[in-house]
Amino acid sequence: MINIPKGTKDVLPSQSHKWQHVEQTARDVAKLYNLKEIRTPVFEHTELFRRGVGETTDVVNKEMYTFLDKGGRSVTLKPEGTAGAARLFIENGLSSSPMPLKAFYLTPCFRYERPQAGRLREFHQFGIEVFGSKEPETDAEVISAANALLKKLGITGCELQINSIGCPICRAEYNKALKEYFRPHLKNMCQTCNTRFEQNPLRMLDCKEEECKKITANAPEILDYLCPDCKDHFKKVQNLLTAQGVKYVINPNIVRGLDYYTRTVFEFVSTSIGAQGTVCGGGRYDNLISELGGAPTPAVGFAAGLERLLIVMENTGATIPEEQKPLIYLAGMDENSRKKAVELAANLRANGINAEVDLMSRSVKAQFKYADKIGAKFVAAIGETELANGEVSLKNMSTGESSAVKFGGLCAYLQKV
Ligand code: ATP
Ligand code: MG
């Protein structure tokens, strides 16, 4: 027996309708916001993620599925969706299309992490990316789309936390202040924080170690260092969120794990799933496209983890529509009626009706039992008499009522119920 790889999960037939519900809801929200789907390869040149996600991130340093293909090229399974979306935008010359360009994706992602609840090695994201606008309306619209998704999924008890991490100019000032603050504490901080101190002190605010978190609590706050333009942008985003009725809190410690973010960053955090509470994270990344060799293009986006959305939905009792059951099971008693059942089922299916017939050579009694197990709403019994009369004996499985329905009228009958 060969088992499933660690950190991956199967979706079973009895569970897939939940996934379809979340994916369909995501597509519905994308439609409302006029976002068009993009699909990028599951693997890309490793260099794309090294540059696009950032050398100092955990994703690049520790979590990438990187290997040499048979041609000796280094390729990496996508750990997130934004770098690929940015490459697609540049490579296909989409900067000459009408701006902004509004895109969404649904994709598997791969990160070599320690598997635990809400943290897998293969997981799935719904993400949106809006390219070409530096205006705060765009930040607010992207956040509002994420908010709409959670609302449509019936997720409650999620808090929207927002922050601004400024532009490279104000962040340089802030990094200086952070370094001054952290320097005397370094010996009490973890190894990762010590490395980040040298490479990207902002990310020290992201540390989950208790000891480091205590020190971080008193660190200077980025919001006090924002330049007038960044301050103004952040204020406008907040006003636009309020105007749309989107509730938020400001959390100055949100910095996001990825290097390309500028100005607005945000997370939707659920209190119901413990440590892995962030269901959705995003922000503005005005420097990514140019970093990847495109003409400077502002952009903003988010990604939500589908597994975490599902966990939150199940933990908070959000309604998930039931899986689709067959409308009718056609039970034949002898060879001729079985053939008629097949013929009728084909006709019903051609007319969009979900119909089932026996594929196991079961007795009629066993067919009824099976039909009940799979939740068929009606069972049509066909035997010699029915064949002779050109009708089925139709039983409503929930009321127990039976009635005779002509072969030719069955489709119309079922389309009405
Ligand atoms: P975390 O702090 O939980 O590691 P992150 O900052 O690495 O999150 P992002 O890169 O922003 O996460 O990814 C966006 C979303 O994708 C997350 O909010 C989460 O819902 C989901 N996600 C990220 N990593 C995983 C994983 N290993 N397993 C399942 N879902 C994940
Ligand atoms: Mg992570």
Side-chain angles (χ1 to χ4, degrees), residues 59 63 111 113 119:
V59 170
E63 300 171 358
R111 297 186 192 177
E113 302 211 62
R119 196 174 288 291

Side-chain angles (χ1 to χ4, degrees), residues 85-207:
R87 180 201 48 69
L88 171 148
F89 178 83
I90 301 166
E91 190 166 354
N92 294 282
L94 298 189
S95 59
S96 57
S97 60
M99 288 290 123
L101 187 106
K102 302 172 68 175
F104 83 91
Y105 57 79
L106 276 161
T107 184
C109 295
F110 306 86
R111 297 186 192 177
Y112 195 79
E113 302 211 62
R114 196 167 62 77
Q116 50 198 294
R119 196 174 288 291
L120 294 157
R121 291 185 174 171
E122 181 188 29
F123 61 99
H124 298 79
Q125 284 187 343
F126 166 67
I128 81 176
E129 318 286 358
V130 178
F131 297 103
S133 165
K134 60 178 185 8
E135 303 304 329
E137 281 78 4
T138 316
D139 310 50
E141 184 169 298
V142 165
I143 295 173
S144 134
N147 191 63
L149 173 67
L150 300 187
K151 206 165 160 191
K152 259 186 184 282
L153 289 174
I155 291 175
T156 49
C158 237
E159 186 175 71
L160 165 60
Q161 306 182 350
I162 62 171
N163 190 24
S164 173
I165 53 170
C167 61
I169 297 164
C170 38
R171 209 179 315 156
E173 278 306 303
Y174 179 58
N175 274 340
K176 246 192 260 166
L178 270 185
K179 280 190 137 174
E180 252 165 59
Y181 170 79
F182 280 127
R183 199 180 311 272
H185 295 291
L186 277 179
K187 53 188 176 306
N188 300 319
M189 299 187 81
C190 73
Q191 191 48 52
T192 315
C193 278
N194 274 271
T195 316
R196 286 174 174 172
F197 179 82
E198 296 303 334
Q199 295 177 342
N200 187 356
L202 188 69
R203 302 222 38 251
M204 295 170 78
L205 303 176
D206 216 13
C207 187

